[in-house]
Amino acid sequence: MKISSRVQNLNESITLKLNARAVELAEEGRNIYNLTAGQLPFRPAKKFVQYLQFELDFLKSFQYGPAGGLEPLREKVIQYISKTRDINLEAAGCLVSNGGKSVINNFLATMIDPGDEVVLLAPYWVSYPEMVELYGGKCKVVGSSIYDSFTPSLEKLEEALSDKTKVLFVNSPNNPSGIHYDEQWMEGLANLLLKYPDVFIVSDEIYFELIYFDPKPKYFYQFEPALLERTLICDGVSKSMAATGLRIGYGVGPKDLIKAMEKLQGQTASGPNSLVQRALLHFKEEAFDQFLGPIKLHLRDNAKLLKEKLNDANLGAAWYQPRSAFYFLIDFKRLPFYHTYSERGVNEDYSLEICERILNETGVAMVPGGSFGQINTGRISLVLEKKPFEEAIDILITFFTA
Ligand code: PLP
């Protein structure tokens, strides 16, 4: 059997690898603190679960739906995005897919020819480069650092853009940094994009509802609405409704693009889960506030606790203010333990080695930042309950200060 070179070249998920090791250690009886979670460990809103139960009575909830998603749901999504982003989407279409990841995969399969250039802003979501390369696309990465709270400079972005650039990915709120780019940056981005009329933009807004520290996110297209003609907004229920396993995501963008993506989805996957789509038709957007209110407080408390612990241990140099999503990217280079690594070479990435060592020696699991394009950092998930979270941070601080 010969696996295609396309798939052979895909990297294994580092998160899965670390999770597997964490499970192995737990089975050996070790006390493990898992800070790798990319999802909320809570049940979805009660009302939504009731809608799912209600839909179980209908035959239609179990049968094929239209390839691009149920028409009323597509309309509902467009209304929700136009209202929450305060934009006019009359000219846009919507595709409902099997999760946000599937929206992005459909998009790349639809847009990318071998050799096409895609610009990523680091830190970026780990799956972007893997999916781009699957279709033969070439990634160009614009870096950032903790000094600018992981916001890449627009000057550096301009250096990366050219007439060869086909797509730019913007992910705000951001996984893995937990920041969202500020208003001034987004306005600057809008102006910059006007100079590059052939660049298509994916605005990955899957964490849009998860803001626990003001201000709310702004987007480039709010400053220059004409940019909506070449933007795909990506969102879904995974993060905002604590429903990663229900696999519903949506893309909103130019009708021609949506139509092409729908054609692809029709041949490769068919429409997404009809039961969940039908339950979503009943869901009221106002319910987000009620459901997410206590969760956001929890995330803010854990972020505050992290700040206080770092400061108390004189590690404030590794702190920046996260505001959204549920992650914090710890910069190993700013911590005392790192000196043994810096002696080995400045531009090497030791994040996997460091995270494996931390897990083996202390039982705390994090995701190495190297896979997000941010070398020598580690992603800490803020979702754990307060007590184990505090214990995990204490253990990490003892390690960091050694
Ligand atoms: N975009 C980003 C930035 C994410 O972090 C994730 C999930 O982790 C996704 C998209 C995909 O989400 P979904 O579970 O809806 O496929």
Side-chain angles (χ1 to χ4, degrees):
M1 184 172 69
K2 185 165 181 321
I3 304 296
S4 74
S5 49
R6 206 174 42 242
V7 170
Q8 278 188 49
N9 290 338
L10 275 179
N11 284 313
E12 296 257 10
S13 160
I14 301 282
T15 320
L16 290 185
K17 191 174 170 197
L18 271 138
N19 260 319
R21 179 73 188 135
V23 169
E24 218 175 80
L25 289 173
E27 278 168 1
E28 286 168 17
R30 288 273 301 276
N31 195 12
I32 298 298
Y33 296 89
N34 197 337
L35 300 182
T36 66
Q39 58 188 342
L40 293 169
F42 310 111
R43 272 177 71 80
K46 221 180 191 164
K47 207 83 207 144
F48 178 56
V49 176
Q50 283 167 355
Y51 296 141
L52 283 166
Q53 285 164 342
F54 171 76
E55 282 297 334
L56 288 172
D57 283 339
F58 298 96
L59 176 66
K60 273 195 161 174
S61 302
F62 297 88
Q63 300 201 314
Y64 287 127
L70 298 180
E71 201 49 53
L73 183 60
R74 298 165 87 170
E75 282 163 25
K76 191 173 165 165
V77 168
I78 290 186
Q79 270 171 24
Y80 161 72
I81 303 272
S82 19
K83 188 169 155 207
T84 50
R85 277 64 161 185
D86 195 18
I87 47 174
N88 182 341
L89 286 173
E90 263 163 31
C94 169
L95 178 81
V96 186
S97 291
N98 188 32
K101 191 178 250 175
S102 185
V103 172
I104 294 169
N105 185 44
N106 281 332
F107 166 80
L108 289 168
T110 302
M111 285 289 271
I112 298 298
D113 279 320
D116 281 347
E117 207 172 272
V118 175
V119 172
L120 304 179
L121 306 175
Y124 47 72
W125 184 41
V126 58
S127 295
Y128 297 151
E130 298 297 333
M131 287 195 268
V132 168
E133 283 158 24
L134 189 63
Y135 298 106
K138 300 263 169 286
C139 291
K140 217 176 187 183
V141 177
V142 182
S144 69
S145 75
I146 188 174
Y147 298 109
D148 42 34
S149 293
F150 297 113
T151 302
S153 89
L154 291 171
E155 289 73 32
K156 273 207 239 157
L157 171 58
E158 182 153 26
E159 282 165 25
L161 294 175
S162 71
D163 53 8
K164 283 202 242 131
T165 315
K166 183 129 185 208
V167 175
L168 167 70
F169 272 86
V170 180
N171 171 219
S172 178
N174 181 270
N175 174 8
S177 70
I179 60 109
H180 43 284
Y181 305 133
D182 69 22
E183 188 169 342
Q184 202 188 353
W185 188 90
M186 280 291 179
E187 189 172 6
L189 176 64
N191 293 331
L192 180 58
L193 288 167
L194 291 181
K195 290 202 238 168
Y196 296 88
D198 296 329
V199 174
F200 194 95
I201 312 106
V202 176
S203 185
D204 183 346
E205 305 174 12
I206 197 101
Y207 295 94
F208 176 79
E209 293 286 349
L210 277 153
I211 311 298
Y212 57 86
F213 214 99
D214 280 343
K216 285 203 159 185
K218 280 272 179 190
Y219 293 100
F220 52 93
Y221 50 72
Q222 292 167 325
F223 298 96
E224 291 293 343
L227 292 170
L228 285 168
E229 288 163 25
R230 48 186 170 111
T231 299
L232 179 75
I233 298 174
C234 176
D235 199 343
V237 305
S238 292
K239 315 292 173 170
S240 51
M241 293 177 72
T244 47
L246 296 186
R247 310 309 302 138
I248 294 287
Y250 16 87
V252 171
K255 282 192 175 131
D256 287 356
L257 169 71
I258 295 294
K259 223 168 151 186
M261 287 166 64
E262 179 175 353
K263 181 170 77 171
L264 174 75
Q265 180 160 288
Q267 290 294 10
T268 55
S270 298
N273 188 318
S274 45
L275 173 70
V276 185
Q277 284 191 82
R278 282 172 57 97
L280 281 169
L281 283 176
H282 304 281
F283 187 77
K284 304 246 177 330
E285 155 214 333
E286 296 74 44
F288 277 134
D289 283 345
Q290 209 182 357
F291 173 61
L292 290 176
I295 293 174
K296 291 185 202 175
L297 281 180
H298 168 64
L299 296 172
R300 195 161 63 196
D301 280 354
N302 275 359
K304 189 162 162 255
L305 189 136
L306 181 58
K307 175 186 179 179
E308 286 166 2
K309 296 256 173 207
L310 287 173
N311 279 339
D312 290 350
N314 283 327
L315 301 177
W319 172 256
Y320 64 94
Q321 180 64 59
R323 297 172 181 276
S324 44
F326 31 76
Y327 310 109
F328 181 84
L329 199 61
I330 189 98
D331 188 346
F332 296 141
K333 301 183 290 305
R334 312 272 285 164
L335 299 167
F337 85 95
Y338 188 74
H339 65 92
T340 49
Y341 294 90
S342 51
E343 282 157 13
R344 283 163 52 183
V346 189
N347 289 322
E348 293 296 309
D349 178 34
Y350 306 110
S351 61
L352 175 59
E353 188 183 328
I354 292 171
C355 287
E356 282 178 331
R357 189 180 139 204
I358 293 176
L359 176 57
N360 288 329
E361 287 181 21
T362 74
V364 179
M366 286 183 282
V367 186
S371 40
F372 300 95
Q374 206 68 41
I375 64 171
N376 299 314
T377 60
R379 190 189 75 177
I380 292 176
S381 172
L382 300 176
V383 301
L384 208 62
E385 273 174 51
K386 189 160 182 180
K387 190 168 167 287
F389 184 76
E390 185 167 5
E391 287 168 9
I393 299 305
D394 284 338
I395 293 170
L396 282 179
I397 284 180
T398 307
F399 180 93
F400 292 154
T401 42

